[in-house]
Amino acid sequence: MENKQSSSPASFIGSTVIPGDVVLDLSSMANQTIKLGDGLREDRDAISAMKAGTLRCKKPNKYRIESCQKRYVPCAGDTVLGIVVDSKRDDFLIDIKGPALAFLPVLAFEGGTRRNIPKFEVGTLLYLRVVKAKFGMNPELSCTDAHGKAAEFGLLKDGYMFETSTGLSRKLLSSPTCPVLESLGKKLPFEIAVGLNGRVWVNAASPHTIIAAANAIMNSES
Amino acid sequence: MEVDREDGRSQNQLRPLACSRNILHRAHGSASWSQGDTKVLAAVYGPKAGTKKNENPEKACIEVIWKPKTGQIGKLEKEYEMILKRTLQSICILTVNPNTTTSVIIQVVNDDGALLPSAINAACMALVDAGIPMRHLAVSICCCVPRSGLVILDPTKLEEQNMKAFAYLVFPNSVHSVLPEGSLSVQGEPIENGVITSVTHGVMSVDDYFFCLERGRAASTKLSDFLRRNLQHQSTDSSKAG
């Protein structure tokens, strides 16, 4: 019993871990159900880290590793910005900066029927919601929210899209409002769409404003 | 018994290490690693959809491209690519992203001895930067046996040329764990005692080889600490972590 105190800290929650670090001891949590998010894996009797990052715990039982990458790991419920790569009979193939291409079913629009299938050309930018993202399968997307309403999903016209890291996108979407967006909003009128996959779209009345806003956001990641 | 090395190091002393991550703008992960004057740049792209023809689609595929500082790509570069590929395949968890390809490109900036170990260290840090899921990190060391005298670590190019034999060794890094010590073992030995890769050149006795392993393992703990400090420092430094 005594030597446990001398060897390891009580918990890693909130501190940086590197791949291989064992972060949770399952034998001491016998009757609880734990949900593992991004970056953690089960290794015999313990949970170990697969990525380098900060270990976060959302009460009561969700654990994940928060790290900042340029590629995206698809997760159900996220909102992303995707680019159409190809269109097939039943779905569009969309690139969301993840390990696999995602599918957007042709009917996943508000009031979508076989008769009014939208025509998206290759290279179109869309604001989408990730419906399913299971291991081994291509992620499935949708242009409606969970209740079937359009809710601002869909085609993004004009404007300028640039890529950032996933960490910056999370920060831009955090609440309370990110200081960069707040101070920009006081000076310039613009509209913005942020995808958790590291893509940001900005639109404003003049190209001047668009470039200023885009540069400000890109440079805010020091 | 003191060994006389040109730059004044002791037999177990490593050259100054320097590592920086996220230096290339377009690559998904990148790292630059230098040990003394040897400097290597590693870039990682991926995971991207699709695997090559002869690869198993149920696992992720790792592809390595080695670019020498000068000259054309020849057999030596292909050998380095193969060694690196096998090493990286054993530390990455290949089942997380099946049917994808991750490309690792190594660019030699300067070669002053212990090139392959520096490349392995750089590739490992670049994979961490790209967020590729890994079992643990790899730390790599070069040990050599001179014609007369004791085993020395981390030789420069001049020292390497005068050696009887040398070995490049790759060990898993030391992990921090919330479990009590001793529970993370494989067949009774702690994980850090395993050897991931060993490449030897020249002729050395079995005793010499085991001695190299022991020295290498001791040095690998120092390297592990360096890696850990580097990763912690960089992640708390930048605003990305918040």
Side-chain angles (χ1 to χ4, degrees), chain B residues 67-138:
Chain B
K67 300 196 175 220
K69 184 175 174 186
T70 52
Q72 295 208 332
I73 297 183
K75 285 185 284 192
L76 186 62
E77 285 75 33
K78 291 287 177 197
E79 186 184 338
Y80 286 156
E81 283 177 13
M82 188 205 73
I83 297 170
L84 224 99
K85 180 175 167 168
R86 295 247 196 104
T87 309
L88 296 179
Q89 270 177 342
S90 76
I91 60 169
C92 292
I93 304 175
L94 299 174
T95 49
V96 173
N97 287 322
N99 203 21
T100 58
T101 306
T102 305
S103 311
V104 180
I105 293 124
I106 306 283
Q107 171 70 60
V108 176
V109 177
N110 195 26
D111 178 12
D112 187 29
L115 183 60
L116 187 60
S118 308
I120 293 175
N121 289 327
C124 189
M125 291 303 267
L127 286 174
V128 171
D129 192 40
I132 309 286
M134 294 202 278
R135 219 165 265 130
H136 47 70
L137 298 179

Side-chain angles (χ1 to χ4, degrees), chain B residues 8 13-14 30 35 45 58 109 113 116 151-152 181 219 223 236:
Chain B
Q13 199 176 346
L14 304 172
S30 53
Q35 279 177 218
Y45 292 88
E58 287 183 30
V109 177
L116 187 60
V151 164
I152 64 172
E181 280 179 24
L223 272 176
T236 51

Side-chain angles (χ1 to χ4, degrees), chain B residues 2-241:
Chain B
E2 277 298 306
V3 177
D4 213 5
R5 287 175 87 167
E6 279 210 0
D7 47 6
R9 286 185 285 152
S10 71
Q11 60 173 129
N12 283 341
Q13 199 176 346
L14 304 172
R15 285 175 287 180
L17 301 168
C19 172
S20 36
R21 292 183 300 137
N22 202 12
I23 39 181
L24 298 176
H25 184 60
R26 286 206 170 277
H28 300 142
S30 53
S32 136
W33 180 278
S34 60
Q35 279 177 218
D37 277 332
T38 304
K39 187 162 175 200
V40 178
L41 189 58
V44 171
Y45 292 88
K48 293 186 179 166
T51 43
K52 290 187 168 163
K53 261 190 177 165
N54 294 330
E55 301 280 351
N56 186 359
E58 287 183 30
K59 291 191 177 170
C61 160
I62 299 186
E63 166 196 23
V64 179
I65 300 175
W66 180 287
K67 300 196 175 220
K69 184 175 174 186
T70 52
Q72 295 208 332
I73 297 183
K75 285 185 284 192
L76 186 62
E77 285 75 33
K78 291 287 177 197
E79 186 184 338
Y80 286 156
E81 283 177 13
M82 188 205 73
I83 297 170
L84 224 99
K85 180 175 167 168
R86 295 247 196 104
T87 309
L88 296 179
Q89 270 177 342
S90 76
I91 60 169
C92 292
I93 304 175
L94 299 174
T95 49
V96 173
N97 287 322
N99 203 21
T100 58
T101 306
T102 305
S103 311
V104 180
I105 293 124
I106 306 283
Q107 171 70 60
V108 176
V109 177
N110 195 26
D111 178 12
D112 187 29
L115 183 60
L116 187 60
S118 308
I120 293 175
N121 289 327
C124 189
M125 291 303 267
L127 286 174
V128 171
D129 192 40
I132 309 286
M134 294 202 278
R135 219 165 265 130
H136 47 70
L137 298 179
V139 290
S140 171
I141 268 275
C142 175
C143 310
C144 20
V145 180
R147 290 200 180 87
S148 59
L150 298 173
V151 164
I152 64 172
L153 293 181
D154 202 16
T156 61
K157 206 164 185 70
L158 278 176
E159 287 174 338
E160 226 174 47
Q161 281 161 355
N162 293 333
M163 288 295 140
K164 187 173 78 172
F166 56 89
Y168 299 134
L169 299 164
V170 185
F171 301 100
N173 72 329
S174 45
V175 298
H176 281 185
S177 157
V178 288
L179 299 176
E181 280 179 24
S183 56
L184 257 194
S185 26
V186 179
Q187 290 176 344
E189 284 198 44
I191 285 191
E192 293 90 68
N193 281 2
V195 181
I196 301 177
T197 301
S198 154
V199 182
T200 50
H201 287 254
V203 179
M204 61 170 100
S205 68
V206 176
D207 287 331
D208 275 342
Y209 180 67
F210 283 132
F211 193 66
C212 283
L213 273 184
E214 206 189 291
R215 295 267 121 252
R217 212 167 266 140
S220 77
T221 39
K222 286 185 239 167
L223 272 176
S224 288
D225 287 333
F226 171 75
L227 284 183
R228 184 176 291 277
R229 268 183 285 129
N230 197 285
L231 286 167
Q232 282 180 337
H233 173 68
Q234 287 207 340
S235 78
T236 51
D237 214 16
S238 62
S239 64
K240 292 185 216 167

